[in-house]
Amino acid sequence: MAQIHLEVVTPSGAVVSEEVDIVTAPGVSGEFGVLANHAPFLSTIKTGTLSFKKDRTSKYLMVTGGFAEVSNNKITFLVESAEFGNDIDVDRAIRSKERAEKRLAQAQQATEKINRVRAEAALQRSLARMRTAEMSRH
């Protein structure tokens, strides 16, 4: 099977750089998959799970906002952050989710727009971490 080169880069450096069989990513307009020799395109990435498969083994990364570019049999993700599912501290993610839900409830009462946006983003990150960790364990 033909492969595509996958790169996942954060502000602190490269997280993944390897040949893979398929990549599935959380695009803003919906999840998308990319195989070798895919047509060139750009996409905005939302917080969620990026998965890739190589030699029948799947790996999962929780990614937060960024961009993806497919070109010349290579897919590059420039994202704010990326964590492998096996590295995620699920208890910490649960605590973060609970804090975000509490802040959301308080922000709605006080109609604080900025705090609500930040709390919603924190909640989305926590939920994505929990989903990615769960996927990595199966």
Side-chain angles (χ1 to χ4, degrees):
M1 174 187 258
Q3 294 185 316
I4 186 168
H5 188 78
L6 167 65
E7 287 196 358
V8 179
V9 181
T10 69
S12 58
V15 177
V16 176
S17 181
E18 64 182 279
E19 303 295 317
V20 301
D21 300 326
I22 186 170
V23 179
T24 306
V28 169
S29 299
E31 188 174 83
F32 63 89
V34 177
L35 295 165
N37 303 311
H38 196 287
F41 80 95
L42 294 171
S43 178
T44 306
I45 301 300
K46 68 178 184 176
T47 297
T49 303
L50 181 152
S51 66
F52 59 97
K53 190 178 277 192
K54 180 179 179 178
D55 302 327
R56 297 186 187 151
T57 300
S58 295
K59 293 185 181 178
Y60 304 92
L61 283 167
M62 192 288 295
V63 294
T64 57
F67 300 93
E69 176 186 23
V70 177
S71 176
N72 299 321
N73 207 37
K74 177 179 178 182
I75 183 166
T76 304
F77 291 89
L78 302 174
V79 293
E80 294 172 17
S81 67
E83 295 175 71
F84 277 100
N86 291 331
D87 296 337
I88 293 172
D89 181 339
V90 177
D91 291 334
R92 182 174 166 233
I94 291 169
R95 289 191 305 274
S96 177
K97 173 185 170 281
E98 291 167 353
R99 280 192 310 274
E101 288 171 338
K102 184 183 282 187
R103 284 196 312 262
L104 270 175
Q106 291 170 346
Q108 286 177 349
Q109 292 170 2
T111 63
E112 296 178 39
K113 202 174 210 174
I114 293 173
N115 288 341
R116 186 169 61 245
V117 170
R118 289 177 60 202
E120 286 171 355
L123 179 60
Q124 291 306 312
R125 285 190 306 272
S126 299
L127 293 172
R129 280 187 179 100
M130 293 165 58
R131 278 191 306 272
T132 304
E134 179 65 26
M135 293 170 84
S136 295
R137 286 168 177 73
H138 287 32

